[in-house]
């Protein structure tokens, strides 16, 4: 809902105050949300899908925030676009140095193309896998994959398995459509200490996915 719900700002501040990494989809950089991000103490990178000109030329897309400074940033725009409105979706990759480690952490943040046939989402996933699969160190790939059909969900699992990523199992229920979960996190060369989906957050139409990981 791009921050329009009444409790969004309060919930967002509560969620990010003790986090090292924050992955946001449907980011919307109007003036109030820009101020909200500035007050979290995180560094953010934003991959713009399009400019919303309805209320002003505000960027919308995916955003990744971190306590540490990123050592590299790249993005991918989906080849296929949403029908009717003709807007693309984005994948953002950021990398970070790890204390005592020679290999860096790679973080992928995706908002999958939605109201399209399965092969169009598969193309977006394959493009992301080209970046993720080349990274030798630990990695995280998460976001709103819009996997609301069996084929789309199977394609996602197949692509991730092929490049050595493992799906994180959460305690709680993620956002679903037609009985299929939309939000996922995959990891490589990392261990899950805790993975929960808080039920008491109402500032978005999706529930947040919270993770504690170790190397």
């Amino acid at each position: 809902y791009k921050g329009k719900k009444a409790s969004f700002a309060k919930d967002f501040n509560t969620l990010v105050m003790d986090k090292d990494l924050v992955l946001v989809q449907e980011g919307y950089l109007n003036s109030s949300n820009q101020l909200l991000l500035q007050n979290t103490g995180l560094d953010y990178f934003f991959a713009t899908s399009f400019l919303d000109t309805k209320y002003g030329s505000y960027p919308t897309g995916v955003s990744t925030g971190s306590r540490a400074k990123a050592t590299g940033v790249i993005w991918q725009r989906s080849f296929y676009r949403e029908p009717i409105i003709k807007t693309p979706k984005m994948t953002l990759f950021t990398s970070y140095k790890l204390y005592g480690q020679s290999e860096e952490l790679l973080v992928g943040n995706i908002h999958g193309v939605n109201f399209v046939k399965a092969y169009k989402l598969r193309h977006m996933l394959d493009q992301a896998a080209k970046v993720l699969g080349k990274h030798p160190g630990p990695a995280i790939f998460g976001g709103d994959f819009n996997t609301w059909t069996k084929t789309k969900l199977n394609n996602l699992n197949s692509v991730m398995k092929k490049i050595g990523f493992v799906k994180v199992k959460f305690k709680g229920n993620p956002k679903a459509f037609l009985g299929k979960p939309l939000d996922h996190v995959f990891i490589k060369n990392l261990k899950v200490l805790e993975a929960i989906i808080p039920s008491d957050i109402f500032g978005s139409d999706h529930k947040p996915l919270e993770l504690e990981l170790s190397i």
Side-chain angles (χ1 to χ4, degrees), residues 12-138:
F12 189 81
N13 277 324
T14 299
L15 288 166
V16 307
M17 68 170 54
D18 60 346
K19 302 299 188 300
D20 295 312
L21 287 166
V22 175
L23 280 63
V24 177
Q25 299 82 47
E26 291 283 7
Y28 187 58
L29 286 183
N30 61 8
S31 55
S32 59
N33 285 343
Q34 288 184 46
L35 182 62
L36 179 65
L37 295 181
Q38 291 171 7
N39 289 338
T40 62
L42 302 176
D43 284 331
Y44 286 89
F45 287 94
F46 198 95
T48 300
S49 170
F50 64 95
L51 298 179
D52 184 353
T53 58
K54 187 175 182 179
Y55 302 106
S57 293
Y58 296 123
T60 181
V62 299
S63 182
T64 300
S66 63
R67 299 284 171 198
K69 299 287 185 181
T71 57
V73 182
I74 60 173
W75 53 265
Q76 294 175 338
R77 181 174 285 120
S78 65
F79 178 79
Y80 295 103
R81 299 190 172 210
E82 298 291 352
I84 302 176
I85 57 176
K86 303 300 182 183
T87 56
K89 289 293 198 291
M90 303 299 295
T91 308
L92 176 63
F93 298 96
T94 47
S95 53
Y96 307 91
K97 289 184 177 180
L98 295 166
Y99 181 78
Q101 302 284 328
S102 59
E103 296 175 329
E104 294 190 344
L105 173 70
L106 177 66
V107 178
N109 180 4
I110 186 173
H111 190 188
V113 63
N114 193 7
F115 297 106
V116 296
K117 292 184 177 180
Y119 77 88
K120 295 184 177 182
L121 175 60
R122 175 64 183 258
H123 183 274
M124 188 178 185
L125 297 173
D126 285 338
Q127 292 301 109
K130 290 180 180 179
V131 175
L132 297 165
K134 291 179 181 178
H135 183 70

